[in-house]
Amino acid sequence: MDKKRIPLELLLMFSVFVIATCGLIYELVAGALASYLLGDSVKQFSFIIGVYLFSMGVGSYFAKFIKGNLIDKFIEIEILVGIIGGISSVVLFILFNTLAHFEAVLYLFVFFTGCLVGVEIPLLMNILKDRVQFKDLVSNVFAFDYIGALLASILFPLVLIPNLGIVKTPLFFGLINISIAIFLCFYLKNELSRPVSLKIKSIGAFILLVVLFIFSDKILSFSEEKLYGENVVYTKSSPYQRIVLTRNNREFRLYLNNNLQFSSVDEYRYHEALVHPAMSMAKEIDHILILGGGDGFAVREVLKYEAVKDITLVDLDGEMTNFFKNNETMRRLNQSSLSSPKLKVINKDAYIWVKENTKKYDVVIIDFPDPSNYSLGKLYSLQFYRELEKLTTLDTKIVVQTTSPYFASKSFWCIEKTINKVFPFTSAYHTYVPSFGEWGFSMASFEPINNKIYRKIPNLKFYDYNFSQLSYFTKDMKTKDIEVNRLDNQILVRYFDEEWGKVQ
């Protein structure tokens, strides 16, 4: 009997480690998925962590009512955790575009997964209480639990999402959960009251998840085609975002975390308006800095000026810049701009990079995604523009994409006001891009923006150097009582969430 107690103790302690790792992975997957599909990563992760911890408490409470053969019950719960946690991403991706109350289903998955994980730990402690001294039992259980949580939190962003993606990751860990159940069914068969039934259940669940894992790419492609209503030609989950490229009869469209970034039909209107006003009004254009713009379209427009000596492009996501540099279709769209010998690409957080650098630039073009979450909101903050000031001269022209002045006027003028706190002369302007509607920009400088044109590029498709025409705003694109966006308030993200939430 002594020999049997020792392996059972070790086996169940290892199960604690697996439970903690898998449980936290399911929680992180739900948070990442909610951020991909619903935006505002801070809010989504905050809500999901809260619901998950609450549901673990609910599960822990109801564990005391579980009777009968506790090892049987533990194996059944392990199977349920593996199934519910494993299929969560598959089901949620399929339901996102078809279900009116998607968030309710998302939180139900989180709740049930948390409840089951919450049941497992007290159940294990009840199984082991007669085999291990209480003080050793509690310390060992929680030690293994916290180690598993640490491992999950490290593996998730660094290994799992980049290599397995948001759908295969929970399926993989579901298989681990059920593998533990299968092993226990065979190893502890003499201690089980229903060994045959449990073996059938665990093996059946394992086969189900294996099938879903094998066909997960097809399932994801199917759900994304339903979501975007177009043929999906490229998908990639980077550590920072879900990249999806679609194609129809007339255009390519790029989506980042479900948000449209460009259409190949009309992106030239956006990028000409972003680049050429500043490039034409800057006294010198030797050294150009582009922050964001990993698609290479802004670089394409800058390269039309032969006087440019060097361009530095800082974009967080190497998956983005590599795709637009190496994919043949994207190279045609950006005219192989990312392969230019004048260009240096740096894949780093722009906020950190700006703080660490001191080189001066003649033109700074900022093409970040919209401030839909706090990690992006910091790139539109007062503190960021103060850091950026170190990289400018008295003659530098800065241009920032500033979202839609029509759909999100508070957000638009918040960015404008924040920029103006650092750079004394700003000029807001906008243009119509059919895929987006009215879209806005802000040019900033330490000298008055007097619309003096130093150079022109012939044969542009859209921009005709009549800058004043773009600077007129109708009454429905103006607003009052706007706060400055600071790191400690991130008011811009709240404006953006409030305004675009009404549009979607």
Side-chain angles (χ1 to χ4, degrees):
M1 289 295 291
D2 289 339
K3 288 184 178 180
K4 189 138 190 175
R5 286 181 185 176
I6 294 172
L8 178 61
E9 175 193 343
L10 293 176
L11 183 60
L12 293 181
M13 286 300 175
F14 178 72
S15 298
V16 172
F17 172 77
V18 172
I19 290 165
T21 306
C22 294
L24 188 59
I25 290 293
Y26 301 141
E27 179 186 2
L28 292 170
V29 164
L33 190 63
S35 301
Y36 282 0
L37 298 176
L38 302 174
D40 194 347
S41 58
V42 172
K43 182 177 78 173
Q44 299 303 334
F45 270 101
S46 178
F47 286 1
I48 282 169
I49 289 170
V51 171
Y52 185 79
L53 292 176
F54 167 75
S55 60
M56 284 184 66
V58 172
S60 296
Y61 175 79
F62 282 104
K64 66 183 179 181
F65 298 108
I66 296 177
K67 307 295 182 184
N69 188 312
L70 296 185
I71 300 178
D72 280 27
K73 303 298 183 185
F74 174 76
I75 292 173
E76 288 180 329
I77 291 170
E78 192 78 1
I79 294 168
L80 280 173
V81 172
I83 293 174
I84 294 175
I87 68 171
S88 57
S89 282
V90 172
V91 174
L92 290 169
F93 259 111
I94 291 172
L95 293 180
F96 177 67
N97 200 41
T98 58
L99 199 66
H101 302 290
F102 170 78
E103 287 185 76
V105 177
L106 169 68
Y107 287 111
L108 276 175
F109 266 100
V110 174
F111 180 79
F112 283 123
T113 304
C115 281
L116 291 170
V117 172
V119 166
E120 286 181 305
I121 300 298
L123 204 58
L124 273 175
M125 294 179 74
N126 277 327
I127 293 170
L128 292 170
K129 66 182 180 181
D130 296 326
R131 306 169 188 263
V132 182
Q133 288 189 3
F134 181 75
K135 63 183 182 68
D136 294 331
L137 174 63
V138 173
S139 60
N140 288 343
V141 165
F142 284 106
F144 277 93
D145 184 53
Y146 295 145
I147 292 169
L150 174 64
L151 180 66
S153 64
I154 293 171
L155 288 178
F156 184 76
L158 299 180
V159 178
L160 298 173
I161 291 300
N163 293 289
L164 289 178
I166 199 71
V167 171
K168 285 186 175 179
T169 293
L171 286 169
F172 176 76
F173 278 85
L175 288 169
I176 292 176
N177 269 130
I178 295 172
S179 295
I180 293 293
I182 292 172
F183 181 78
L184 291 175
C185 285
F186 286 90
Y187 187 75
L188 302 177
K189 60 183 179 181
N190 294 330
E191 300 197 31
L192 302 177
S193 60
R194 295 175 287 109
V196 176
S197 172
L198 290 172
K199 288 176 184 177
I200 292 171
K201 289 178 183 177
S202 58
I203 293 172
F206 188 87
I207 292 171
L208 171 65
L209 293 192
V210 167
V211 171
L212 289 174
F213 189 90
I214 292 170
F215 291 100
S216 60
D217 289 337
K218 291 184 178 180
I219 294 169
L220 183 56
S221 296
F222 169 75
S223 63
E224 287 184 324
E225 285 180 11
K226 286 184 64 179
L227 172 62
Y228 298 111
E230 299 168 342
N231 182 34
V232 175
V233 296
Y234 175 84
T235 60
K236 182 72 175 181
S237 291
S238 78
Y240 312 106
Q241 57 201 346
R242 177 71 177 170
I243 305 168
V244 177
L245 184 71
T246 68
R247 181 180 185 177
N248 57 36
N249 293 333
R250 59 189 293 266
E251 64 186 334
F252 288 92
R253 288 179 168 234
L254 179 77
Y255 297 85
L256 299 181
N257 291 351
N258 198 34
N259 295 313
L260 178 65
Q261 299 302 301
F262 75 78
S263 162
S264 60
V265 169
D266 56 23
E267 55 81 14
Y268 69 90
R269 294 176 69 94
Y270 171 92
H271 290 101
E272 287 187 9
L274 173 71
V275 171
H276 294 293
M279 290 294 290
S280 63
M281 294 183 201
K283 291 180 180 178
E284 303 292 338
I285 57 169
D286 292 346
H287 310 294
I288 312 299
L289 173 63
I290 301 175
L291 301 176
D295 50 35
F297 293 132
V299 179
R300 178 195 65 199
E301 298 302 315
V302 169
L303 287 171
K304 293 177 180 178
Y305 296 84
E306 293 183 4
V308 171
K309 292 181 179 178
D310 60 76
I311 307 168
T312 301
L313 172 69
V314 182
D315 191 283
L316 177 65
D317 198 343
E319 294 288 349
M320 272 282 289
T321 53
N322 288 335
F323 174 60
F324 280 89
K325 179 179 180 180
N326 299 315
N327 180 273
E328 184 179 349
T329 302
M330 297 302 104
R331 285 170 62 91
R332 285 201 304 269
L333 290 176
N334 64 27
Q335 297 175 10
S336 299
S337 61
L338 296 181
S339 299
S340 170
K342 292 183 178 182
L343 177 68
K344 180 181 181 181
V345 177
I346 299 169
N347 294 123
K348 193 170 184 179
D349 184 289
Y351 194 103
I352 296 171
W353 185 88
V354 166
K355 287 185 70 173
E356 293 175 348
N357 282 268
T358 56
K359 180 180 175 179
K360 306 293 184 179
Y361 293 91
D362 301 308
V363 177
V364 179
I365 299 166
I366 301 178
D367 190 19
F368 295 136
D370 285 341
S372 58
N373 58 57
Y374 293 108
S375 61
L376 290 170
K378 73 180 181 183
L379 300 173
Y380 294 84
S381 67
L382 181 65
Q383 289 82 346
F384 175 74
Y385 296 127
R386 282 176 175 162
E387 295 292 342
L388 183 66
E389 182 184 0
K390 299 183 304 182
L391 310 186
T392 64
T393 69
L394 293 178
D395 296 324
T396 299
K397 290 291 185 292
I398 303 105
V399 63
V400 184
Q401 88 83 8
T402 50
T403 195
S404 172
Y406 178 76
F407 294 111
S409 59
K410 285 184 179 180
S411 304
F412 177 87
W413 293 108
C414 173
I415 300 171
E416 167 78 8
K417 184 174 183 178
T418 305
I419 296 169
N420 191 231
K421 285 290 183 179
V422 177
F423 302 99
F425 298 98
T426 59
S427 180
Y429 64 102
H430 64 101
T431 191
Y432 179 72
V433 182
S435 296
F436 297 98
E438 289 295 331
W439 211 259
F441 310 87
S442 183
M443 193 187 306
S445 178
F446 283 104
E447 62 178 11
I449 299 170
N450 54 18
N451 302 348
K452 182 177 180 180
I453 304 298
Y454 289 95
R455 63 196 66 81
K456 291 184 180 181
I457 294 298
N459 302 320
L460 294 179
K461 292 183 179 180
F462 164 71
Y463 186 58
D464 62 1
Y465 297 93
N466 187 359
F467 184 74
S468 59
Q469 193 176 43
L470 304 182
S471 302
Y472 174 74
F473 289 84
T474 54
K475 290 174 65 176
D476 59 354
M477 289 191 283
K478 297 179 180 179
T479 191
K480 296 179 180 179
D481 303 322
I482 298 301
E483 294 183 47
V484 169
N485 185 46
R486 296 181 171 85
L487 279 180
D488 61 347
N489 70 1
Q490 288 271 29
I491 189 67
L492 174 61
V493 178
R494 283 182 273 164
Y495 287 152
F496 186 87
D497 187 50
E498 170 192 325
E499 292 177 311
W500 280 105
K502 296 175 182 177
V503 176
Q504 296 170 350

